[in-house]
């Protein structure tokens, strides 16, 4: 083997410096402590990532943990609506302070910084990714046990930025019943595998409707073979969220934490 010249553009040696993976982790705000970061992802939009994120954060908060939600969906934020928060974030020249929901969950979303929450965010990818990094480095989160990151759909700039810049300990994949669900789930699973991030579970939203009279389950959008998907993707835990008018009403009222999501208990216990 030839002697290393310390110039990787010219050197042919496979030394440790060349083969070592680059570390893109951003430094957390120095006045904050976050023990675990959990990402909520999906291969497409409109499947209920914000719903699952809000429910999980509220469930873990009920268990006595200090929880936070980072809304990384910069162009389509909806976390604040779930918690009924419409105020603006405070801050100083160095830091931004998150807003606490009524149940104590700390929140940070781009809508907390806009003059009007209906203003569109017309930014290019790198600027959006930079904003997500600032939510980690410039926000004084305080002491947090579990931070849940609500991702935008797909496998583009922002999910990649979150996976590489934050110490994500695991992800939850969210899907809805449809013929292409396995392909969509697989895309998210493969991205996590490429970045060596464990998958905690698969949540199928709007999976069925439970009749209030006979309490039978009716799979009105089709009975997705979730068992096969779990097996094919190597995921151990799968959960189904029903179509429930009470859940929709809780979201509309901004009272998501008041909803009793018993079917999320297995996932919450796994995260704990």
């Amino acid at each position: 083997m030839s002697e290393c010249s310390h110039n990787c553009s010219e050197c042919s040696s496979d030394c440790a410096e060349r083969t070592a993976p680059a570390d893109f982790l951003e430094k957390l705000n120095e006045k904050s402590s976050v023990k675990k970061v959990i990402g909520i992802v999906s291969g497409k939009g409109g499947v209920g990532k914000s719903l699952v994120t809000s429910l999980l954060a509220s469930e873990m908060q009920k268990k006595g943990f200090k929880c936070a939600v980072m809304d990384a969906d910069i162009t389509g934020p909806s976390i604040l609506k779930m918690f009924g928060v419409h105020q603006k974030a405070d801050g100083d020249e160095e830091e931004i302070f998150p807003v606490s929901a009524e149940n104590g969950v700390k929140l940070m979303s781009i809508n907390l910084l806009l003059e009007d929450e209906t203003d569109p965010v017309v930014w290019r990818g790198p600027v959006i990714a930079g904003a997500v990094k600032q939510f980690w480095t410039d926000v004084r989160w305080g002491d947090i046990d579990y931070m849940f990151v609500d991702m935008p759909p797909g496998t583009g700039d922002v999910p990649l930025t979150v996976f590489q810049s934050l110490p994500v300990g695991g992800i939850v994949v969210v899907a809805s019943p449809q013929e292409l669900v396995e392909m969509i789930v697989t895309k998210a699973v493969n991205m996590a595998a490429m970045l060596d991030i464990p998958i905690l579970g698969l949540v199928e939203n709007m999976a069925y409707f439970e009749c209030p009279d006979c309490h039978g389950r009716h799979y009105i959008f089709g009975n997705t073979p979730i068992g096969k998907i779990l097996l094919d993707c190597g995921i151990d835990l799968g959960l189904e969220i029903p179509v429930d008018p009470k859940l929709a009403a809780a979201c509309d009222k901004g009272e998501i934490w008041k909803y009793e999501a018993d079917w999320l208990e297995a996932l919450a216990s796994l995260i704990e």
Side-chain angles (χ1 to χ4, degrees):
M1 181 182 296
S2 61
E3 185 178 352
C4 181
S5 67
H6 302 290
N7 185 344
C8 291
S9 63
E10 299 176 354
C11 180
S12 61
S13 299
D14 289 329
C15 57
E17 286 79 5
R18 176 191 292 277
T19 57
D23 185 2
F24 298 104
L25 286 178
E26 295 287 337
K27 185 179 179 181
L28 176 65
N29 175 270
E30 61 182 12
K31 297 177 182 177
S32 303
S33 172
V34 177
K35 296 183 177 64
K36 291 290 182 182
V37 179
I38 308 296
I40 314 299
V41 307
S42 173
K44 68 184 297 292
V47 297
K49 292 184 301 299
S50 299
L51 172 67
V52 173
T53 302
S54 303
L55 287 172
L56 278 175
S58 299
E59 190 68 23
M60 297 305 289
Q61 189 82 9
K62 290 175 185 177
K63 289 176 173 287
F65 296 103
K66 298 176 182 177
C67 297
V69 173
M70 178 194 292
D71 192 350
D73 194 351
I74 302 297
T75 60
S78 53
I79 286 295
L80 299 185
K81 179 176 176 58
M82 296 284 184
F83 288 92
V85 172
H86 300 284
Q87 65 202 77
K88 301 303 176 186
D90 291 325
D92 54 31
E93 294 181 356
E94 297 180 353
E95 297 174 315
I96 306 170
F97 307 136
V99 171
S100 293
E102 190 171 331
N103 67 335
V105 173
K106 292 185 178 180
L107 310 173
M108 176 48 61
S109 171
I110 194 65
N111 271 4
L112 293 173
L113 307 176
L114 299 177
E115 183 174 345
D116 189 311
E117 63 182 18
T118 61
D119 289 343
V121 177
V122 188
W123 296 346
R124 294 191 183 275
V127 180
I128 294 175
V132 173
K133 289 182 182 180
Q134 285 189 283
F135 284 173
W136 179 254
T137 60
D138 295 358
V139 174
R140 188 195 291 187
W141 293 100
D143 293 327
I144 298 296
D145 295 313
Y146 294 99
M147 175 180 287
F148 296 91
V149 183
D150 184 20
M151 303 273 204
T155 55
D157 281 347
V158 174
L160 183 60
T161 296
V162 171
F163 286 153
Q164 292 186 326
S165 303
L166 277 60
V168 180
I171 66 170
V172 175
V173 182
V174 183
S176 59
Q178 56 181 313
E179 293 180 0
L180 297 179
V181 69
E182 185 170 5
M183 181 193 71
I184 293 166
V185 169
T186 303
K187 285 181 180 291
V189 168
N190 288 343
M191 182 178 187
M194 290 172 60
L195 299 169
D196 197 26
I197 298 175
I199 301 169
L200 302 177
L202 169 63
V203 178
E204 184 182 8
N205 188 27
M206 299 178 287
Y208 63 89
F209 172 73
E210 182 174 332
C211 177
D213 297 324
C214 69
H215 299 290
R217 293 187 177 185
H218 303 276
Y219 290 83
I220 54 180
F221 296 116
N223 195 344
T224 304
I226 189 171
K228 180 179 182 300
I229 296 174
L230 294 173
L231 183 62
D232 291 346
C233 295
I235 304 174
D236 294 328
L237 180 63
L239 302 174
E240 295 178 328
I241 297 181
V243 176
D244 187 352
K246 293 181 180 179
L247 178 55
C251 294
D252 291 341
K253 293 178 181 179
E255 299 177 344
I256 190 66
W257 72 91
K258 293 184 179 181
Y259 185 83
E260 295 297 331
D262 298 336
W263 21 259
L264 277 181
E265 177 59 34
L267 182 56
S269 297
L270 177 62
I271 291 174
E272 181 179 355

